[in-house]
Amino acid sequence: MAFPVYSQTPQSFLDAETNRTAASAVGANWAWSRGYTGKGATILIMDSGIDTQSKEFAGRIKYSIDYTGTGLQDKVGHGTHVAGIAAAANNGTGTQGIAYDANIAVAKITNTTSSSMQLAQKALVWAGQYNDIVVANL
């Protein structure tokens, strides 16, 4: 069995996109240099939705549910920002997430700046049906 070989030089992962984000501040480049990019995992974002048109998440919104009845599109911006910190693409533009290869599950539990713990609990129960969701953020 052949295993992928990753750069063992964390500095090789520091570029302009990475340096504009929290990724360099938390030393994510050390994990990336060992192949830990989020690939194969899904991150649950329980928040105000997500910018469904953003190139940062293109093709990686794997599961979604809207508990607000207002649609998945983020009108507040907070959910998109949080999703970006977690998993924005490594595409050379904009921002880059810590787990840039991860898929995203979105549970829209608010369309304002506050949220309901009851809806967050409901979202966690919903997420329990998917075995690839490895972390949840509220």
Side-chain angles (χ1 to χ4, degrees), residues 21-93:
T21 68
S24 63
V26 300
N29 58 308
W30 287 86
W32 300 334
S33 72
R34 284 150 182 84
Y36 302 115
T37 63
K39 190 165 189 70
T42 301
I43 299 171
L44 171 61
I45 306 295
M46 300 178 289
D47 211 302
S48 60
I50 194 165
D51 181 353
T52 59
Q53 302 303 309
S54 174
K55 292 179 183 172
E56 297 294 349
F57 313 115
R60 294 187 301 122
I61 300 174
K62 191 169 184 182
Y63 315 116
S64 64
I65 193 164
D66 171 22
Y67 289 107
T68 69
T70 62
L72 200 58
Q73 183 63 35
D74 187 0
K75 293 174 179 52
V76 178
H78 191 268
T80 300
H81 184 76
V82 171
I85 292 169
N90 177 7
N91 58 9
T93 64

Side-chain angles (χ1 to χ4, degrees), residues 38 40-44 62-63 102-105 127-135:
T42 301
I43 299 171
L44 171 61
K62 191 169 184 182
Y63 315 116
N103 287 313
I104 303 165
Q129 68 185 304
Y130 303 110
N131 63 6
D132 60 330
I133 295 177
V134 298
V135 66

Side-chain angles (χ1 to χ4, degrees), residues 69-137:
T70 62
L72 200 58
Q73 183 63 35
D74 187 0
K75 293 174 179 52
V76 178
H78 191 268
T80 300
H81 184 76
V82 171
I85 292 169
N90 177 7
N91 58 9
T93 64
T95 188
Q96 178 177 338
I98 305 298
Y100 59 79
D101 277 336
N103 287 313
I104 303 165
V106 179
K108 185 172 182 180
I109 61 170
T110 185
N111 60 358
T112 66
T113 56
S114 64
S115 61
S116 157
M117 286 298 118
Q118 289 175 319
L119 288 180
Q121 288 175 318
K122 200 171 184 179
L124 285 172
V125 171
W126 166 80
Q129 68 185 304
Y130 303 110
N131 63 6
D132 60 330
I133 295 177
V134 298
V135 66
N137 182 282

